[in-house]
Amino acid sequence: MIRKMIKGLFGLTIGLAIFGVGLIAIAILVTYPKLPSVESLHNYQPKMPLTVYSADGKVIGLYGEERREFTKISDFPDVLKNAVIAAEDKRFYDHWGVDVFGVLRAIVGNVVAGGVQSGASTITQQVAKNFYLSSERTFTRKFNEALLAYKIEQALSKDQILELYFNQIYLGQRAYGFASASQIYFNKKVQDLSLAEASMLAGLPKAPSAYNPIVNPERAKQRQNYILNNMYEEKMITLQQRDQALKEELHYERFVQKIDQNALYVAEMVRQELYEKYGEEAYTQGFRVYTTVNTENQRVATEALRRVLRNFDRGSSYRGAESYIDLSKTDDVEETVSQHLSTLYTVDKMVPAVVLQTAKRSLQIQLPSGRKVTLSGGAIGFAARAIENKKMGDQRIRRGSVIRVKGSGDSWVIVQEPLLQGALVSLDAKTGAVRALVGGYDFHSKAFNRATQAMRQPGSTFKPFVYSAAIAKGMTASTQINDAPLALPGKGKNGSVWMPKNADGRYAGYITLRQALTASKNMVSIRILMSIGIGYAQQYIQRFGFKPSEIPASLSMALGTGETTPLRIAEGYSVFANGGYKVSAYVIDKIYDSQGRLRAQMQPLVAGENAPQVIDPRNAYIMYKIMQDVVRVGTARSANTIGRSDIAGKTGTTNDNKDAWFVGFNPSVVTAVYVGFDKPKSMGRAGYGGTIAVPVWAEYMRFALKGTDAKGMKAPDGMVSRSGEYYMKERQVTSSDLKLDNRGSVPRPVRKPAPKKQGDDARSGSSQVTQVDEKPAAPAPSAAQGNSNKQLDSLF
C-alpha cells in the first residue's frame, strides 16, 4: 500500500513536472516571438548631452539632463570590470543570460518572504530591463526578462553586453555610465581609478541612492567591503590588495564642467539652431558643436561692454533686491539658502547673497560659500533706504532677499547690475564668421540676445547705405549738397509740416558728401534721399541684407528710423569692408557626433570667391575712404585711440539719445556696438554713439586687431584720383544737378564756389566734379529699374 502511494506520488510529481515543463515550453513558444528585436543594440546610441565649444576648444555650453561619456569596453580598466562582475554577476562569462543557481536561490528566498523580493538578475538581464522593460516586480516581467536576456546573449558577445551595461547604467548624481560616474564622484578619468575607487563605484548599480558614498558613506563602505571580498574569493585580487583598498581613504571631488561664462549668448544661439533642426534629440545625440568665436575675444568683448554699462550706472539709486525666497517655511535655513545660491552665478565679480537678518542700519547675509557676513555703514551704502522699505514692495531688502555684493574676506559692499544694456557683434568681413558676440550684460538674468533679437533704430549708422545708393546713382564724395534746414509740408505727423534738424543744431551750407557723412549731417542725408528717390533707395539697400520691413518708405529712412538688429547692421557694413560682397553671419563651424565623426561643416560665402557681389567695388572703396574721415576727424574721433590708420566707421544716435551705436571696421573685421535700455528711454548727455559706444568698440578692436598689419583697402580698378579724391571712370553728377532750396521742394540754379589752389584738401569742399565722356554709372537693382531711369535733378 505504501509502495503504491509512493509510486503514485512519484508519478504525480513526474507528471506535474512534465506538465510544468510543458507550460513553460508553451509560454516560451508564445512569448519568444513577441519579444522586441535586439538589432538596435548593435547600433547603440546612448543619450549624451549637446556640448558647444569655442573655436579654441573651450566648452561654452552644455545641454541635456543625462551626463554621459560613451566609452568602449576596451577602454575601461580591468580593475573596474572585475569589481562590477564581482558585485553584480560573478558567473557572467559562464551563463547563457540567466544564472540558474542564482534564480533557484532567489525563488527560495521569495517563497519564504511571500513575494518577489529579489530577482538574481544577471548583467544581461539588467541590460534587457534597462533597454526594453519596466522596473515592476512581477513574475511575468522576470520571465520576459529571462527570455530577452537569452535572446541578447545569442545576438551579442559578452564584451558587447558589458559595454552596453557600463555605458547605460544609472549611478546617481545625474551620472549615466561608469566613465561619467568616475568624473562626477572622483573628478578622474575612468582609466585612472584605483581599486578602492573602482570597488566603491561598482556598488552603485544595486541602489545608486542607498550606496552613494557622499550621502551614505557607511552603507557605501559596507557594499565596498562585500565587493572586495567577492573579488578576493574569485581570485581577481590578492588578500594584500583587498586589505590595502579597504584602508585607502577616498577623496570625493565632484566634477563641475567648466563652462566659459563669456560666450553664453553664442552657446544659446547654437542650442536654438540645433533644436530647430533635431528637436529633443539635439540634447541626447551627443553632438559636439564647434563655433567660430574665440574665448579671448569673447572675454575682452564682454569686459569692454560691461565696463561701459557699469560706469554709466555708477551713481544710480538702488533699484532693490534681485529676488526673494521665503525662509519662514523651512527648518534648515542654512541648507535652503545654500541650495538656492548654488543655482545662481557670480557675474562681473558681483556675488549673489541672501539676507538672513535685517536691522536699522545693518544686514546679515549668507554667501554661496556658506559664510555669514554682517554689513553696516558704508558697506550698505546706497541700499540703506531699501531696508524694510515697504514702499519698494517686493524689491525692498528683507529676510530672504537675494542681493549682490562685491568684496572678499569680511569686507563686502552691496552692488547692483546696471539697468543699461548693450550688445557687441564682430564678424570676419570676408566670410561672415562671428568672432565675438555679446548679447547683454548678464545672460543669467535675461537670456534676451540684444545682438540678434533687439530691433532698434540704427540712427546715423544707416546713412552709409543711403550714401552708397547715391554713389551708385552717380554722385561722388565731392558732390555738394546744401546743409540747410528743411520744411516739408504734409510729411510730419497727421499731415503736418516736417521740420527735421541736425543733431547739433548747426548748418554748414553747401558741403560735400564726404564732409556731410563725416559730420553726420541729417539735412544732407535727407536731400540725398530726395534726389535719388525713396523707392530706388529701398531696393538698393536690400542688397546689404536688410528686409523691406526694416527700411521705412519715407524720407526718415535717411535718418535711420527703421528698426534692425546689431547683427544685421554688422552684416551690412561687411559689404563695405570686403569690397562689395554679401556674406552671411554664422556661428556654427563644425558638428561632430558622439563617435567623433564629422556630421556637418559650414561652407560659407567668401568675398571674392563664391559670395555674390552686390555693390560696385569702387562704391565700397569710396564709402570706406569717406568713413575713414568719420574716424579721423568726425563723430568717431575717439576710435583713434587704438592707433591704426586702416579703420573706418560710423556713429549713430537716435532721438533723445535712446539708442547709441558705432559700427567700425577695417578690410578684415567688422564690429558693431549698440547701447540702450531694454525699455527705450533717454540716456541723457552721455548717450551719444561717439561717447558711449565707441569706447566699447575701441577696447575690443584694440585686442582683436593686435598683431595685424594696418594695410587698409586697395583701390579697385576703374577709378580716377583727382586732388586726393577718388571717382569712378564714368559720368559723375555735378553739384548743380542736386542743389535744393531750403524747403527742399524745387531745384534752383546754384553758383559754384570759386575753385581753390592746387593741393587744397578735397574734404574742404573745393574739388569740383568734372564731366567724363563715358556712360552713366551702373544701374540700380533690377527691382528699382523704373526709378533709376529718372534724372537725378528730378527730385520727386
Side-chain angles (χ1 to χ4, degrees), residues 27-198:
I28 291 174
L29 290 173
V30 172
T31 305
Y32 196 83
K34 297 179 180 180
L35 294 175
S37 171
V38 296
E39 281 300 311
S40 61
L41 297 181
H42 285 285
N43 301 304
Y44 172 55
Q45 292 290 332
K47 290 183 178 181
M48 299 177 67
L50 164 64
T51 309
V52 185
Y53 297 89
S54 64
D56 49 325
K58 305 290 179 61
V59 177
I60 61 174
L62 188 65
Y63 305 94
E65 288 299 317
E66 298 184 7
R67 297 293 179 259
R68 193 193 309 268
E69 183 178 342
F70 180 79
T71 307
K72 294 181 179 179
I73 192 61
S74 58
D75 293 331
F76 286 103
D78 288 339
V79 67
L80 179 62
K81 287 188 279 190
N82 288 337
V84 173
I85 289 172
E88 296 295 319
D89 190 358
K90 289 187 288 186
R91 285 178 284 275
F92 173 69
Y93 286 105
D94 300 322
H95 60 65
W96 45 266
V98 176
D99 183 356
V100 177
F101 296 105
V103 170
L104 293 175
R105 185 174 60 251
I107 289 175
V108 172
N110 291 335
V111 170
V112 172
V116 180
Q117 298 297 316
S118 62
S121 292
T122 63
I123 286 176
T124 312
Q125 287 176 276
Q126 291 184 56
V127 169
K129 182 183 69 174
N130 289 337
F131 280 90
Y132 297 107
L133 304 173
S134 68
S135 297
E136 61 179 343
R137 290 177 174 271
T138 64
F139 287 108
T140 301
R141 202 271 294 166
K142 290 297 294 183
F143 180 73
N144 290 341
E145 181 185 287
L147 291 181
L148 195 52
Y150 173 77
K151 191 173 184 179
I152 291 172
E153 289 273 352
Q154 303 309 303
L156 303 176
S157 69
K158 290 288 187 179
D159 277 353
Q160 287 175 315
I161 295 169
L162 210 58
E163 183 175 273
L164 292 172
Y165 182 77
F166 270 51
N167 282 286
Q168 182 72 13
I169 193 72
Y170 177 63
L171 299 170
Q173 302 291 319
R174 296 177 67 190
Y176 287 79
F178 284 100
S180 178
S182 179
Q183 292 274 14
I184 293 294
Y185 289 98
F186 297 111
N187 197 12
K188 279 186 175 183
K189 291 184 177 180
V190 70
Q191 295 86 350
D192 299 330
L193 289 174
S194 67
L195 173 59
E197 292 165 338

Side-chain angles (χ1 to χ4, degrees), residues 498-510:
W498 185 41
M499 300 180 66
K501 296 179 175 60
N502 285 335
D504 58 4
R506 299 176 182 178
Y507 303 90
Y510 297 120

Side-chain angles (χ1 to χ4, degrees), residues 718-735:
M719 301 202 73
V720 176
S721 175
R722 293 188 179 91
S723 300
E725 192 61 270
Y726 287 88
Y727 311 99
M728 298 181 188
K729 286 184 178 179
E730 292 161 352
R731 180 186 184 277
Q732 304 294 304
V733 179
T734 63
S735 300

Side-chain angles (χ1 to χ4, degrees), residues 262-473:
N262 295 316
L264 297 178
Y265 287 102
V266 175
E268 175 62 11
M269 291 170 65
V270 172
R271 185 200 67 78
Q272 290 179 9
E273 189 165 339
L274 263 70
Y275 182 78
E276 288 177 7
K277 185 172 183 179
Y278 299 105
E280 292 296 329
E281 289 188 353
Y283 311 133
T284 62
Q285 296 301 299
F287 292 125
R288 299 179 182 181
V289 183
Y290 284 82
T291 63
T292 58
V293 300
N294 178 279
T295 51
E296 279 302 294
N297 280 22
Q298 283 292 140
R299 178 186 62 80
V300 174
T302 301
E303 290 177 356
L305 180 63
R306 284 178 173 173
R307 183 174 292 108
V308 167
L309 300 182
R310 191 172 59 242
N311 288 342
F312 179 89
D313 197 66
R314 188 168 289 142
S316 298
S317 59
Y318 189 65
R319 290 180 289 275
E322 190 172 296
S323 59
Y324 169 77
I325 56 175
D326 190 351
L327 299 180
S328 64
K329 298 179 181 179
T330 178
D331 295 328
D332 191 342
V333 172
E334 184 174 346
E335 178 61 22
T336 300
V337 170
S338 293
Q339 288 184 3
H340 184 78
L341 289 175
S342 69
T343 66
L344 304 178
Y345 292 83
T346 295
V347 177
D348 200 15
K349 298 181 181 179
M350 297 184 183
V351 180
V354 173
V355 176
L356 301 178
Q357 295 180 14
T358 65
K360 189 174 183 181
R361 295 185 178 180
S362 67
L363 300 171
Q364 185 187 52
I365 62 172
Q366 182 174 323
L367 300 171
S369 63
R371 185 173 188 173
K372 297 179 178 62
V373 177
T374 298
L375 307 179
S376 61
I380 297 176
F382 69 155
R385 73 176 187 87
I387 299 177
E388 300 296 350
N389 184 349
K390 294 184 179 180
K391 292 182 179 179
M392 294 184 67
D394 291 339
Q395 277 67 54
R396 70 185 186 276
I397 294 179
R398 51 183 164 158
R399 186 171 185 261
S401 291
V402 178
I403 61 175
R404 294 273 169 176
V405 294
K406 183 178 285 189
S408 61
D410 292 322
S411 179
W412 296 83
V413 296
I414 296 179
V415 292
Q416 67 180 350
E417 291 188 2
L419 189 61
L420 186 66
Q421 288 292 344
L424 179 150
V425 56
S426 182
L427 306 180
D428 183 312
K430 297 186 184 302
T431 66
V434 176
R435 297 307 181 201
L437 186 147
V438 185
Y441 184 85
D442 174 17
F443 176 85
H444 297 294
S445 65
K446 194 172 184 180
F448 180 66
N449 189 339
R450 296 156 190 87
T452 62
Q453 296 175 299
M455 298 295 292
R456 296 290 184 268
Q457 290 187 355
S460 293
T461 58
F462 198 77
K463 289 177 181 176
F465 305 114
V466 177
Y467 278 59
S468 176
I471 290 172
K473 196 79 167 179

Side-chain angles (χ1 to χ4, degrees), residues 442-700:
D442 174 17
F443 176 85
H444 297 294
S445 65
K446 194 172 184 180
F448 180 66
N449 189 339
R450 296 156 190 87
T452 62
Q453 296 175 299
M455 298 295 292
R456 296 290 184 268
Q457 290 187 355
S460 293
T461 58
F462 198 77
K463 289 177 181 176
F465 305 114
V466 177
Y467 278 59
S468 176
I471 290 172
K473 196 79 167 179
M475 297 188 196
T476 76
S478 292
T479 300
Q480 293 192 354
I481 305 290
N482 190 12
D483 176 35
L486 278 167
L488 301 174
K491 302 295 183 180
K493 290 183 179 181
N494 301 320
S496 62
V497 177
W498 185 41
M499 300 180 66
K501 296 179 175 60
N502 285 335
D504 58 4
R506 299 176 182 178
Y507 303 90
Y510 297 120
I511 58 176
T512 65
L513 264 69
R514 176 185 288 274
Q515 292 171 320
L517 190 60
T518 300
S520 198
K521 293 294 188 179
N522 291 340
M523 298 302 100
V524 173
S525 297
I526 294 171
R527 283 188 166 92
I528 288 174
L529 183 55
M530 294 169 70
S531 298
I532 63 178
I534 293 172
Y536 168 81
Q538 273 189 310
Q539 292 294 327
Y540 180 88
I541 292 171
Q542 289 179 50
R543 296 182 178 196
F544 295 89
F546 294 102
K547 298 178 181 179
S549 60
E550 298 171 317
I551 310 170
S554 67
L555 291 175
S556 67
M557 176 206 312
L559 307 183
T561 58
E563 291 187 341
T564 190
T565 65
L567 180 63
R568 193 107 66 203
I569 284 285
E571 284 183 317
Y573 270 72
S574 68
V575 177
F576 297 132
N578 65 33
Y581 298 91
K582 178 66 182 74
V583 296
S584 299
Y586 67 98
V587 295
I588 296 178
D589 182 27
K590 298 177 182 178
I591 302 176
Y592 293 89
D593 64 17
S594 60
Q595 303 297 315
R597 295 172 298 213
L598 184 64
R599 288 283 298 269
Q601 183 171 2
M602 175 60 70
Q603 299 294 330
L605 297 173
V606 180
E609 296 180 14
N610 60 343
Q613 185 158 12
V614 293
I615 68 172
D616 192 312
R618 298 170 298 176
N619 186 314
Y621 182 76
I622 290 170
M623 291 304 304
Y624 169 67
K625 300 300 287 186
I626 293 175
M627 284 190 277
Q628 277 192 300
D629 272 8
V630 176
V631 173
R632 279 199 283 257
V633 296
T635 56
R637 290 187 297 275
S638 56
N640 281 315
T641 56
I642 72 171
R644 296 182 66 100
S645 61
D646 62 336
I647 58 174
K650 185 68 186 78
T651 56
T653 308
T654 61
N655 283 346
D656 298 323
N657 296 7
K658 291 179 180 178
D659 304 288
W661 295 78
F662 180 62
V663 189
F665 62 95
N666 75 350
S668 299
V669 181
V670 177
T671 300
V673 174
Y674 158 78
V675 179
F677 292 100
D678 284 344
K679 293 182 179 179
K681 66 177 182 178
S682 176
M683 291 180 281
R685 299 178 65 181
Y688 288 95
T691 56
I692 197 167
V694 170
V696 179
W697 181 93
E699 184 174 343
Y700 168 75

